[in-house]
Amino acid sequence: MKKSPLQNLKKLLTELTRKQYLFIGISAILILINCIAVIKELPVIPLLTGGAVLAYLLIFHVDWVMYLMALCTPFSIILSSKQIHLGLSLPSEVIMISVTFVFLCRILYDLHLDRKLLRHPITIAIFVYLTWMFITCVTSQIPLVSFKFWASKIWFTTACYWMCIQLIKDENKNILRYFNCYAVSLAVVVIITTYKHALSGFDEDYAHWVMSPFYNDHTAYGAILAFFVPITGCCFFLPQNNTIHKILYAILTAILTMGLYFSFSRAAWIGFVVAIGVFIILKLRIKLSWLIVGGLLLGTAFFYYADDILYKMSRNSQDASGNLTEQLQSISNISTDASNVERLNRWNSAFAMIKERPVLGWGPGTYQFVYAPFQKSQFKTIITTNFGDGGNCHSEYIGPCAETGIPGMLTVFGLVFCSLFTGIRTYNRTSDKTIKLFCLMMTLALITYFVHGFLNNFLDTDKLSLPFWGAFAVITVMSIKSDELKQKS
């Protein structure tokens, strides 16, 4: 005879231990107190409660904290104070700082890092990148800004690379849990954004801000969507998936692809197309020597016909619009498209800054505060500003060169080379299907951002840093596992 829900509840209650009763009781009291505090508009109590819960999880369930960090990052909102010149993305960066503190404490007491991990090319590249950045903080034009910028890089890399490695090194399923947490939250943001955008008739002007407050503009929004579409798309083909998993990944990929299209981010589209091209090259097993020869021929042709190309670009007057064809045509418009011309203004200012300080640069994070005097009148647009409030250099390569000198730019290229070389090398050499697929998805995701990085820069934000450094962690772990499997066979 089938038991009633009341009987099942009674049975469940009789099976609970004293600790479980205590946990339920304390949780109920805390929920009641916080509900009253919210009604009475007393924000201190919920903040203290949240801090206490976070501290408990950090001590006893740090893996839950990592998933929580990934889950809440797409919803995080920046709160800043002009008095202390500090802004934090809450709650994600608070969690990252807490996780960094726990990691450092564990290093001092009980955590021994694997030598294979410490000697890995990607780890070494990150060490060199952060070390040179620290050196240029000392010589910075505005040291306080630079050290705050460097500190943010420390908690980004520690929480999203080092702690991520500790999370995923023993269990591949944790990789899926970690990135799925971000992807599901991102899908919710896409649904909200697309609904708001639809109310405007998918107007292109609305596309620039409709994703606010979750993402500050359509380029950052497009960049993260281009990053995640290869990940969720590749997850569809994981060997251990059942039919339900495949359906869920297909739905997730469709939602993110829709968001990518309606982001109207030209740089994100280009990055995604290049990733598809690399995927085709990997599948066709085209030799590297052929690619190098092709790249050299293409570069030579561009150099030879540079004057003609620039002349045609200057004659292009197609501005960005909601039409896909016109949006793509506007990419090469350097005459009337304000976004493109302003980007040239930022780059031209950066080149002038590099010329003046080629080795040590002006200091990490200082570009937006010092570039204004280097602007030239012929590159100024209606969106030009002299007050350091219009964003950064719009390049992950030119910006670091201006801020940390030519050696700093080389450390960035070192990160690009080490991650892509390791990812592609592991993909080609391993016979394990799961390792192969994880390397493929992370490599393609990074390619979308490395291409996007020529036109924009977002690695100073939690939104992009979490999956970016997480992808580095996955490639590092997969390459070590692949080498271990080869040694056993």
Side-chain angles (χ1 to χ4, degrees):
M1 183 177 176
K2 191 175 180 181
K3 294 182 179 180
S4 66
L6 185 60
Q7 290 175 320
N8 289 329
L9 179 61
K10 286 182 179 179
K11 183 181 178 182
L12 179 64
L13 291 174
T14 56
E15 293 174 353
L16 292 175
T17 63
R18 288 184 179 180
K19 287 185 178 180
Q20 290 171 329
Y21 271 116
L22 184 63
F23 176 79
I24 292 172
I26 292 173
S27 299
I29 292 170
L30 285 175
I31 291 171
L32 179 61
I33 291 172
N34 280 276
C35 287
I36 295 171
V38 170
I39 295 170
K40 298 290 185 179
E41 297 184 358
L42 299 172
V44 175
I45 294 176
L47 287 173
L48 290 174
T49 304
V53 172
L54 179 60
Y56 171 81
L57 292 176
L58 285 167
I59 296 170
F60 299 104
H61 298 285
V62 72
D63 54 331
W64 293 9
V65 178
M66 293 293 291
Y67 299 136
L68 177 64
M69 181 176 74
L71 190 67
C72 72
T73 296
F75 298 115
S76 295
I77 298 172
I78 296 177
L79 294 180
S80 58
S81 172
K82 292 183 179 179
Q83 285 75 22
I84 59 175
H85 302 287
L86 182 66
L88 282 178
S89 183
L90 300 177
S92 60
E93 287 198 79
V94 172
I95 298 175
M96 289 179 183
I97 294 170
S98 303
V99 168
T100 299
F101 177 75
V102 169
F103 178 81
L104 295 176
C105 289
R106 290 184 64 183
I107 286 289
L108 293 173
Y109 289 100
D110 65 348
L111 182 62
H112 301 284
L113 294 176
D114 191 342
R115 287 185 178 181
K116 292 180 181 178
L117 172 60
L118 292 174
R119 294 174 179 176
H120 196 278
I122 291 179
T123 301
I124 293 171
I126 293 174
F127 274 134
V128 173
Y129 168 73
L130 293 174
T131 301
W132 182 257
M133 188 180 292
F134 177 80
I135 292 170
T136 56
C137 285
V138 177
T139 61
S140 172
Q141 180 77 4
I142 315 174
L144 181 61
V145 169
S146 294
F147 278 110
K148 285 193 291 187
F149 185 87
W150 182 77
S152 70
K153 290 291 183 180
I154 292 297
W155 69 64
F156 286 154
T157 53
T158 302
C160 307
Y161 178 74
W162 291 107
M163 281 300 288
C164 189
I165 285 175
Q166 303 308 313
L167 177 71
I168 68 178
K169 66 179 182 179
D170 297 323
E171 183 59 70
N172 287 343
K173 287 183 180 179
N174 291 346
I175 299 173
L176 296 177
R177 294 187 184 115
Y178 184 71
F179 281 90
N180 284 347
C181 282
Y182 195 112
V184 169
S185 293
L186 182 60
V188 174
V189 171
V190 170
I191 292 170
I192 295 170
T193 300
T194 306
Y195 173 74
K196 289 163 63 179
H197 200 183
L199 296 178
S200 71
F202 293 104
D203 185 271
E204 195 269 337
D205 291 331
Y206 278 74
H208 289 263
W209 58 265
V210 73
M211 65 290 307
S212 178
F214 306 118
Y215 290 84
N216 57 3
D217 66 22
H218 72 122
T219 52
Y221 178 64
I224 193 62
L225 289 169
F227 192 98
F228 265 91
V229 170
I231 293 176
T232 56
C234 287
C235 282
F236 178 88
F237 298 99
L238 285 167
Q240 63 267 34
N241 281 350
N242 57 32
T243 304
I244 295 175
H245 288 145
K246 289 185 176 182
I247 292 172
L248 291 175
Y249 279 122
I251 294 171
L252 199 55
T253 304
I255 292 172
L256 299 183
T257 304
M258 175 187 67
L260 176 60
Y261 175 78
F262 287 116
S263 71
F264 293 106
S265 173
R266 295 164 293 183
W269 292 349
I270 294 171
F272 183 66
V273 170
V274 171
I276 292 175
V278 171
F279 172 74
I280 294 171
I281 289 169
L282 291 174
K283 283 297 180 181
L284 295 178
R285 294 185 173 274
I286 298 174
K287 292 182 179 179
L288 180 62
S289 57
W290 294 5
L291 295 177
I292 293 173
V293 171
L296 290 173
L297 290 174
L298 194 64
T300 303
F302 180 83
F303 179 79
Y304 186 78
Y305 294 105
D307 291 339
D308 294 334
I309 293 170
L310 290 172
Y311 174 74
K312 288 184 178 180
M313 289 172 70
S314 66
R315 295 289 299 273
N316 181 3
S317 60
Q318 176 60 59
D319 291 327
S321 73
N323 181 279
L324 177 60
T325 304
E326 293 176 352
Q327 185 80 348
L328 293 173
Q329 289 174 350
S330 71
I331 292 173
S332 62
N333 177 6
I334 59 171
S335 58
T336 62
D337 188 285
S339 177
N340 290 347
V341 179
E342 178 59 25
R343 189 170 277 107
L344 291 178
N345 175 42
R346 302 293 177 90
W347 292 353
N348 183 72
S349 301
F351 291 138
M353 292 167 62
I354 294 165
K355 188 176 180 181
E356 189 165 323
R357 295 189 182 183
V359 180
L360 295 172
W362 294 78
T366 61
Y367 173 89
Q368 67 186 92
F369 303 107
V370 299
Y371 82 92
F374 294 92
Q375 297 180 108
K376 293 184 178 179
S377 58
Q378 64 264 37
F379 292 110
K380 290 186 177 182
T381 68
I382 56 173
I383 57 177
T384 296
T385 175
N386 293 320
F387 301 103
D389 57 355
N392 216 303
C393 184
H394 293 290
S395 173
E396 291 289 0
Y397 311 105
I398 301 174
C401 192
E403 294 182 345
T404 59
I406 294 172
M409 182 183 67
L410 293 178
T411 64
V412 174
F413 282 130
L415 289 173
V416 174
F417 175 79
C418 288
S419 59
L420 295 185
F421 178 81
T422 305
I424 293 172
R425 180 176 176 272
T426 306
Y427 170 81
N428 286 328
R429 293 191 175 188
T430 187
S431 57
D432 186 284
K433 291 183 179 179
T434 302
I435 292 177
K436 185 181 285 286
L437 206 52
F438 276 131
C439 282
L440 177 65
M441 69 173 76
M442 296 305 163
T443 301
L444 295 180
L446 286 173
I447 285 171
T448 66
Y449 189 73
F450 288 146
V451 174
H452 194 122
F454 281 101
L455 301 171
N456 289 299
N457 60 304
F458 302 113
L459 287 184
D460 55 346
T461 67
D462 59 315
K463 308 280 188 179
L464 265 298
S465 288
L466 186 145
F468 179 86
W469 296 113
F472 272 55
V474 173
I475 291 175
T476 301
V477 170
M478 291 300 106
S479 67
I480 292 173
K481 285 188 175 182
S482 176
D483 291 340
E484 289 174 349
L485 287 175
K486 280 189 176 182
Q487 291 175 0
K488 291 178 181 178
S489 60

